[in-house]
Amino acid sequence: PMEANASTILDDKHLDVIQVNTVKAVYSLGKSVNKQNVTCCAIATGRKKNAIYVTDPFDWFDVGSAIGGLILQRCQLEDSFFF
């Protein structure tokens, strides 16, 4: 299901899109840490404000994951695909 405020999350008053050179995802579980280069991620930057950081070129799956993480209550693998 979508977040209750999904339509406003993507509004330009609540979302900044920022182009960057690189994005590195850091995953950790216990003492294990894995770092992976990705082309897009979303981060909360305020109470009702988010930012999407994207590289050029970008991967549509990474963009879908970032947007899905913002507007869906639980973003699953299949939610990240754009057709």
Side-chain angles (χ1 to χ4, degrees), residues 1-7 9-10 66-74:
M2 295 184 102
E3 294 287 349
N5 59 342
S7 62
I9 290 173
L10 299 179
I67 293 172
L70 292 174
I71 66 171
L72 298 174
Q73 292 178 7
R74 182 169 181 249

Side-chain angles (χ1 to χ4, degrees), residues 39-59:
T39 63
C40 188
C41 74
I43 297 175
T45 57
R47 186 167 174 253
K48 292 186 177 183
K49 190 90 168 163
N50 296 291
I52 291 181
Y53 296 90
V54 63
T55 64
D56 182 24
F58 60 85
D59 182 280

